[in-house]
Amino acid sequence: MGSLAVPQAMERAALSAATPRYLPASTYRLQFSAHLRFADAAALAAYFEKLGIAAVYASPLFRARRDSAHGYDVIDPNIVDPEFGSETDFQQFAEELARHQLGLVMDVVPNHMGIDDPNNRWWQDVLENGPGSAYAKFFDIEWHPPKESLQETVLVPVLGDQYGKVLEAQELKLAYRDQRFYVEYYQRRFPLSPATWTVLLTHALATHLQAMPAENPARMELESIVTALEHLPSRTETDPEKQRERQREQDVARRRLATLMDDHAEIRAAIDATLETFNGRKGEPHSFDRLENILAQQSYRLCYWRVAADEINYRRFFDINELAALHVEDPDVFRAVHEMILRFVARGWVHGLRIDHPDGLYDPEQYLESLQDGCKQALVDAGGRLDAERPTYVVVEKILGYDEELPTTWRTAGTTGYDFLNQVGGIFVDRTSARAIKETYEQFTDVAPRFSEIYYYAKRTILAVSMSSELHMIARRLDRISEQHRFSRDFTLASLQRVVSEVIACFPVYRTYIRPSTKFVSDVDRARIREALRIARRRNPAINQSLFDFLGSILLLEDPDGITDEQRAERRQFVMRFQQLTGPVTAKGLEDTAFYRAYPLASLNEVGGEPQHFGTSVEEFHRRNQARLSAWPMAMLATSTHDTKRSEDVRARISVLSEMTDAWAERLDRWNALNRPQKTQIEGSEAPDTNEEYLFYQTLAGTWPLESATAELWSEYVDRIVAYMIKAAKEAKLNTSWMNPEQDYDAALEHFVRGTLERREDNRFLADFHEFAERLALPGMINSLSQTLLKIASPGVPDFYQGTEIWNFSLVDPDNRRPVDFALRDRLLTEVLQWYERDPQSLASDVLKNWRDGRIKLFVTTAALGLRRSHIELFIRGNYQPLAAEGAAAEHVCAFARSLDDEHVIAAAPRLVHKLHANQQQVSTVESWQPEVWSESRLLLPAGLPTRWRHRFTGEEFATEPQSDGASLPQGDGASLDLAELLARFPIALLESID
């Protein structure tokens, strides 16, 4: 009766010909690192099985930059990261998961590579051989930018100061190691083109080996090597045969030189002396001329990192110089990037794939086609027989706008769940308090503009500062196109760049999805483009409107008469590049700038969220769930991820502020007065400003420790808040930033946080805030439990971020990537499962009474997941019926039924519980929480549902009663359940039919 044991059946039911061969019932995200290796994860398989998880969802597993904190800076996609273990270790990990009936979904990074590591052999080859590298086409490099000095040269912005200063400070040094000459900059290493080795070797011969006889075999060998290097095909040669010749001959010369230096000490000494000479002498500027000359002959140009914003000529991931974009749309590049992934799929080690940032791809739909076709072929080659159009479970990290839908033609199971995250989180926001929250924010901070204005100017900032290089490049493309026709040739580069910038800043979604072969723009994309043009025109009445018409004609594929096929192709190329730019500008402008500039209710400032939509109605939540069931039944449902700005539990608690607006406003003024002595005067202004102070109090409200912290734990907490506030200020780019840090301001912000949180007798703020936080804690807990229940029961695949099965009050990365105490979670889970076997009702009572220890969330998670796995077809395909309620508390519950044949479940999740409770001032303990608030309120069931139900969390059984007089439902007459009875012993309800 009380068992939570996981059933043996695997989740492989075929729903249609398009269905993947494997469908996970749920996923658990693991962030691999030096602290969590393959062997460590394998040891957790039993824990995940007990928890009720169906598949582990792994962060990127391929070799990344050394000491990478996240794994998205992959430097070799065809070897597992040695920090995690060997390929054998990975195999053992996958096999251990299989022994526990767990699948494996793997994070794939097709859009970019980490280049800030000498072990990225593809990038190193490009630096060494330039356009003539066999890997030059792998990266999105503009080899012919307008700047003459960058022709066929890639700009590498890595220097910490101006090039000349770095050079004469001897921070750039030539070295010979591993059979190559390099220029080294601290830990970074850049190969010299073999063709330029002749400069060094000739100098060694003329200066340090002049006494060696001409007939000396060693000298003759060195001269022969010089001759061979002088006859290498040019680094600009792109003919494949010439490229192979260049590679072959320079490899031979490399080995010959290494052998010569090993066998002849005088040769090595001469070359070492040459390197010392070329490296110059401090205080003698002309001594660096030789080094500067040889660097000028390379296929790359080292420069100050700040130059990147204006002149970088390779496409980056967002504005990160260390991440270079890939041409994965090229079949050869696709195969090279996915070789190991497809091998793992074929061997049955990997069952699903999560695609990182598809909006950065040239053609996302084409990429997904190539991926599914590649998986299908790999499985067929391994002996399988597949007819499915989508043989592998694939989800995409696609951020959807409020009214945006995922293209139905994409061969994917859906998104990774940011859309659901904001929909479910929104129902815990009191939508009637929108004006009150906004007025409180404006009065406290003096920040009044509409969020749309803040968002617009944030995107303008990104285009003007961190991504100006990308803007310059696309504007130059548009300028070349303007020369095609007599009606556009008088447009200037400056005016065209302004128009492109304005349209991107006004773009309503991340991007459109026009394909290279498209002849007509879809109605959806056409509407998005026209909206952006309309808003940009309205914002810029002084700009010649024909410029907007010109850009619009290109984006809408409206070609003028008389252009050639080549000119038409250039216009299509512009559209594809434009689409690749709007996504990162939107992400940086919204998620990494605007969200840190305005936050009346910070729980709404989340990835995929639009704060101007103040919460979600229950009706809208149901509508979105029904739409997902119809179109994307296997999409992921996330509530916390490695990229969220706040964990699900932090957001759940902050949302309670929308239910207590008067108390919130009153406390803000009090805290401001109490903490003013901790502020610093900088040039006549207080630091931090009131906007950052407002964010600080919300952050404390969401993260305040549930239990008394020791001195050590409190110190750790304060450090975390300091780090978060400084990051938030830098992301806002108003008072300080990453690119131009204001050290005095940063120090003032840290002083304020530490001063306000210092445990001292005269700190009245701490006691006052603690009392306020206690009022948020219990309603926040119920919000979190309701959110967890709705995630597990809704259509889709519930995803759990590592560690969030108990209370987790993490903030944005790197805070949310801290190591997880799995030993604690395993011990708690074992206790919960054993107790549940004996007496589920007493367990429910105990975890509720001691809810602060986190077992209650663990209990809800494992109990609900166990039910989900035992009724997997029901949760995947089952009908979804919103359930209405009647009575005084009707608006305070979100409930629905899932049905398939004779299987039925009901989920009932309370919401806005602080507002519901009559004695709001005292709701801080379970004892003070009164289930009587649900009296006279009933859950209305449509006809056709069973009459007897079992409560999954308490084991209680309930029978329905006839609906009260006057109840009217569109489904027809039915029965009802008393909410006071359902929620008397536990704050949420998950019912299973027992008829």
Side-chain angles (χ1 to χ4, degrees):
M1 140 73 187
S3 174
L4 289 180
V6 176
Q8 295 298 306
M10 293 293 285
E11 301 74 44
R12 296 176 183 274
L15 307 183
S16 70
T19 301
R21 65 194 185 104
Y22 173 83
L23 298 175
S26 57
T27 57
Y28 189 102
R29 168 77 175 202
L30 281 180
Q31 196 69 35
F32 282 82
S33 68
H35 303 290
L36 185 72
R37 294 163 56 83
F38 294 135
D40 304 318
L44 296 173
Y47 168 72
F48 296 137
E49 183 183 22
K50 287 189 298 182
L51 185 60
I53 294 297
V56 168
Y57 160 29
S59 64
L61 299 178
F62 298 118
R63 187 176 186 182
R65 180 179 59 82
R66 184 176 178 83
D67 299 323
S68 172
H70 44 73
Y72 288 96
D73 41 9
V74 174
I75 62 171
D76 190 337
N78 289 306
I79 182 174
V80 295
D81 198 315
E83 287 198 359
F84 309 156
S86 64
E87 185 173 331
T88 299
D89 295 327
F90 173 75
Q91 177 182 351
Q92 292 172 349
F93 160 57
E95 291 173 347
E96 184 65 14
L97 292 181
R99 276 192 285 274
H100 290 275
Q101 302 187 59
L102 297 167
L104 178 59
V105 176
M106 187 169 67
D107 206 333
V108 179
V109 189
N111 181 65
H112 58 269
M113 288 188 79
I115 58 174
D116 192 29
D117 189 309
N119 293 304
N120 184 331
R121 57 187 180 86
W122 296 353
W123 183 254
Q124 290 287 300
D125 196 274
V126 171
L127 296 183
E128 186 175 64
N129 297 294
S133 167
Y135 300 104
K137 72 173 185 177
F138 279 46
F139 298 95
D140 197 346
I141 301 171
E142 175 61 74
W143 290 107
H144 299 285
K147 193 165 185 174
E148 188 64 32
S149 61
L150 288 179
Q151 292 299 305
E152 298 179 327
T153 302
V154 60
L155 195 70
V156 182
V158 297
L159 305 182
D161 205 338
Q162 298 292 341
Y163 168 72
K165 294 180 180 179
V166 170
L167 184 73
E168 294 188 17
Q170 286 192 314
E171 295 175 34
L172 295 172
K173 294 183 178 181
L174 296 178
Y176 178 84
R177 62 181 78 248
D178 302 327
Q179 298 188 3
R180 278 180 168 84
F181 287 103
Y182 294 94
V183 57
E184 296 182 339
Y185 179 63
Y186 296 100
Q187 288 77 35
R188 292 182 170 95
R189 187 187 306 169
F190 306 95
L192 296 189
S193 168
T196 65
W197 293 10
T198 57
V199 177
L200 300 172
L201 301 182
T202 300
H203 183 276
L205 282 165
T207 306
H208 301 289
L209 296 172
Q210 69 271 34
M212 182 178 286
E215 63 275 11
N216 183 291
R219 182 185 182 94
M220 293 174 64
E221 172 66 358
L222 185 57
E223 290 173 338
S224 175
I225 292 171
V226 171
T227 300
L229 292 173
E230 288 175 341
H231 288 83
L232 287 175
S234 167
R235 65 182 176 89
T236 62
E237 180 60 70
T238 58
D239 177 76
E241 183 56 43
K242 291 292 185 180
Q243 287 180 331
R244 286 191 288 272
E245 177 187 346
R246 175 184 172 86
Q247 190 64 54
R248 181 178 64 251
E249 293 304 317
Q250 66 189 26
D251 285 348
V252 170
R254 201 172 0 249
R255 290 193 295 271
R256 289 172 63 190
L257 180 60
T259 299
L260 184 63
M261 293 175 68
D262 288 342
D263 293 344
H264 298 275
E266 64 272 33
I267 299 292
R268 176 174 288 277
I271 291 176
D272 287 344
T274 295
L275 295 178
E276 183 177 357
T277 300
F278 272 64
N279 284 332
R281 295 175 298 279
K282 276 189 178 181
E284 300 180 25
H286 287 296
S287 68
F288 297 95
D289 291 349
R290 292 188 180 91
L291 177 55
E292 183 175 12
N293 179 61
I294 200 169
L295 290 176
Q297 299 179 54
Q298 304 308 312
S299 297
Y300 54 87
R301 176 179 167 182
L302 304 180
C303 68
Y304 190 20
W305 67 271
R306 292 178 182 273
V307 172
D310 294 324
E311 295 188 347
I312 198 166
N313 61 331
Y314 61 87
R315 189 166 61 86
R316 302 167 291 175
F317 175 72
F318 292 179
D319 59 350
I320 305 173
N321 297 340
E322 295 79 15
L323 298 178
L326 290 166
H327 271 307
V328 75
E329 63 275 10
D330 183 290
D332 293 335
V333 181
F334 179 89
R335 282 190 292 271
V337 171
H338 294 81
E339 178 184 341
M340 180 166 275
I341 295 169
L342 297 179
R343 180 155 57 87
F344 286 175
V345 169
R347 291 182 177 181
W349 297 346
V350 171
H351 310 93
L353 302 172
R354 178 262 195 194
I355 308 305
D356 181 63
H357 191 55
D359 277 351
L361 299 173
Y362 187 76
D363 183 354
E365 185 171 345
Q366 177 260 320
Y367 170 79
L368 291 170
E369 291 171 357
S370 298
L371 183 65
Q372 290 285 13
D373 289 344
C375 288
K376 183 175 182 177
Q377 188 61 53
L379 290 165
V380 169
D381 291 345
R385 182 178 177 181
L386 295 172
D387 298 322
E389 177 190 357
R390 305 174 184 180
T392 299
Y393 179 73
V394 174
V395 289
V396 291
E397 187 212 19
K398 165 61 186 165
I399 310 301
L400 295 170
Y402 183 79
D403 61 348
E404 184 181 12
E405 296 180 1
L406 191 67
T408 56
T409 54
W410 285 16
R411 290 167 66 179
T412 175
T415 73
T416 55
Y418 286 111
D419 43 348
F420 176 82
L421 179 154
N422 288 281
Q423 292 156 17
V424 72
I427 68 172
F428 302 105
V429 174
D430 184 0
R431 301 174 74 223
T432 65
S433 70
R435 178 181 294 275
I437 285 287
K438 184 172 182 287
E439 289 177 352
T440 296
Y441 175 67
E442 292 178 358
Q443 289 169 7
F444 186 82
T445 66
D446 288 330
V447 175
R450 292 176 297 170
F451 186 80
S452 59
E453 290 295 298
I454 293 171
Y455 178 26
Y456 165 74
Y457 284 107
K459 290 174 77 171
R460 287 268 306 267
T461 298
I462 295 301
L463 284 164
V465 180
S466 56
M467 300 193 73
S468 60
S469 177
E470 286 79 359
L471 176 62
H472 295 337
M473 285 194 285
I474 199 169
R476 287 192 292 268
R477 286 179 178 271
L478 187 60
D479 186 47
R480 289 196 298 269
I481 293 172
S482 72
E483 295 293 334
Q484 293 177 358
H485 202 276
R486 66 172 70 99
F487 291 111
S488 57
R489 73 177 190 180
D490 286 343
F491 295 151
T492 65
L493 174 59
S495 63
L496 290 169
Q497 180 163 312
R498 173 76 184 278
V499 165
V500 171
S501 176
E502 286 298 317
V503 171
I504 291 176
C506 297
F507 219 75
V509 290
Y510 279 67
R511 65 166 284 176
T512 50
Y513 297 99
I514 299 168
R515 305 189 67 187
S517 58
T518 298
K519 293 184 178 180
F520 302 100
V521 180
S522 71
D523 291 342
V524 171
D525 284 344
R526 181 176 295 275
R528 305 294 191 197
I529 294 168
R530 285 179 169 169
E531 181 181 357
L533 290 166
R534 183 177 65 253
I535 297 172
R537 279 191 176 99
R538 189 175 68 242
R539 285 186 174 276
N540 297 275
I543 293 180
N544 186 337
Q545 297 299 290
S546 63
L547 286 160
F548 291 108
D549 294 337
F550 171 61
L551 176 58
S553 69
I554 297 172
L555 296 177
L556 294 170
L557 310 187
E558 297 169 350
D559 301 326
D561 295 334
I563 64 171
T564 65
D565 289 344
E566 182 180 354
Q567 290 173 330
R568 184 173 289 104
E570 190 173 8
R571 294 166 74 95
R572 296 296 179 274
Q573 185 65 219
F574 172 86
V575 173
M576 302 304 290
R577 294 295 190 177
F578 180 89
Q579 293 181 136
Q580 282 182 293
L581 181 57
T582 59
V585 171
T586 298
K588 293 296 294 182
L590 180 62
E591 299 165 26
D592 294 342
T593 307
F595 278 175
Y596 291 97
R597 289 185 174 182
Y599 22 71
L601 190 67
S603 56
L604 298 176
N605 289 34
E606 192 50 85
V607 180
E610 297 182 16
Q612 59 268 44
H613 297 285
F614 198 83
T616 306
S617 68
V618 172
E619 293 74 21
E620 176 69 6
F621 175 75
H622 288 316
R623 187 184 70 78
R624 299 277 185 162
N625 268 354
Q626 290 171 317
R628 188 182 319 103
L629 177 61
S630 174
W632 306 102
M634 294 306 295
M636 273 187 175
L637 309 179
T639 44
S640 290
T641 78
H642 60 286
D643 275 337
T644 45
K645 305 303 181 184
R646 297 162 187 85
S647 74
E648 59 202 58
D649 296 330
V650 173
R651 294 194 308 274
R653 208 194 284 180
I654 291 176
S655 291
V656 179
L657 297 175
S658 69
E659 303 175 59
M660 47 193 306
T661 54
D662 291 343
W664 173 237
E666 176 191 345
R667 294 294 177 112
L668 284 170
D669 291 335
R670 186 187 308 173
W671 298 332
N672 176 256
L674 289 172
N675 292 329
R676 182 160 289 119
Q678 304 301 330
K679 293 198 173 188
T680 303
Q681 289 289 323
I682 298 180
E683 297 180 356
S685 299
E686 287 185 336
D689 62 26
T690 51
N691 196 36
E692 291 158 342
E693 187 179 359
Y694 187 94
L695 176 62
F696 172 64
Y697 297 136
Q698 286 194 93
T699 302
L700 295 185
T703 61
W704 198 259
L706 287 174
E707 299 177 300
S708 179
T710 64
E712 181 180 356
L713 290 176
W714 184 254
S715 176
E716 178 185 320
Y717 175 72
V718 173
D719 288 345
R720 289 175 52 217
I721 301 301
V722 167
Y724 171 75
M725 289 303 301
I726 289 178
K727 175 169 182 171
K730 288 182 181 294
E731 296 285 18
K733 307 170 189 67
L734 296 173
N735 297 310
T736 183
S737 69
W738 299 112
M739 183 169 288
N740 296 294
E742 293 290 341
Q743 295 181 355
D744 289 345
Y745 199 92
D746 296 344
L749 182 54
E750 178 172 358
H751 173 79
F752 176 80
V753 174
R754 294 194 184 279
T756 56
L757 297 181
E758 184 180 358
R759 284 177 165 175
R760 60 182 191 277
E761 290 186 5
D762 65 338
N763 190 349
R764 295 162 53 198
F765 167 72
L766 278 186
D768 194 73
F769 194 92
H770 178 75
E771 186 274 329
F772 181 80
E774 281 295 290
R775 295 168 57 186
L776 298 173
L778 190 65
M781 177 271 286
I782 295 176
N783 282 354
S784 290
L785 297 184
S786 291
Q787 185 171 243
T788 301
L789 172 63
L790 294 175
K791 177 173 69 173
I792 294 174
S794 291
V797 178
D799 174 49
F800 296 82
Y801 185 65
Q802 61 177 23
T804 58
E805 60 269 35
I806 65 175
W807 303 133
N808 183 293
F809 299 104
S810 295
L811 295 163
V812 72
D813 67 278
D815 192 61
N816 60 12
R817 294 189 178 120
R818 289 171 294 149
V820 175
D821 187 347
F822 283 108
L824 169 65
R825 286 159 176 77
D826 191 23
R827 176 175 60 79
L828 294 178
L829 179 60
T830 300
E831 294 174 2
V832 164
L833 293 174
Q834 291 175 349
W835 195 336
Y836 191 87
E837 290 280 353
R838 299 192 307 270
D839 189 347
Q841 190 164 317
S842 69
L843 170 62
S845 176
D846 186 78
V847 297
L848 180 58
K849 180 179 180 180
N850 300 288
W851 63 272
R852 293 175 186 269
D853 64 16
R855 287 180 303 144
I856 189 170
K857 190 179 182 187
L858 183 68
F859 168 53
V860 166
T861 300
T862 191
L865 283 177
L867 183 66
R868 183 183 176 90
R869 287 198 65 174
S870 62
H871 295 278
I872 184 59
E873 290 288 329
L874 165 65
F875 283 97
I876 291 178
R877 296 194 293 122
N879 182 40
Y880 181 97
Q881 293 177 286
L883 300 182
E886 66 173 2
E891 69 166 328
H892 294 277
V893 64
C894 176
F896 54 82
R898 305 293 309 276
S899 302
L900 181 68
D901 300 329
D902 59 351
E903 296 178 284
H904 308 271
V905 297
I906 289 175
R911 58 186 289 268
L912 309 183
V913 290
H914 189 283
K915 184 179 180 181
L916 170 67
H917 201 280
N919 188 11
Q920 295 183 9
Q921 298 296 322
Q922 301 299 323
V923 180
S924 59
T925 66
V926 171
E927 289 76 16
S928 67
W929 189 263
Q930 300 170 12
E932 289 78 12
V933 295
W934 297 102
S935 296
E936 307 302 325
S937 296
R938 308 187 66 81
L939 198 61
L940 307 179
L941 275 58
L945 289 181
T947 59
R948 295 178 62 242
W949 302 85
R950 180 182 297 117
H951 199 304
R952 179 67 174 176
F953 303 124
T954 66
E956 299 169 278
E957 295 187 4
F958 300 93
T960 60
E961 298 177 4
Q963 289 181 17
S964 60
D965 294 341
S968 178
L969 287 177
Q971 299 99 323
D973 294 335
S976 67
L977 289 165
D978 190 313
L979 281 170
E981 289 184 11
L982 281 185
L983 304 173
R985 292 179 175 83
F986 205 70
I988 61 175
L990 179 61
L991 307 179
E992 178 183 10
S993 63
I994 54 176
D995 283 353

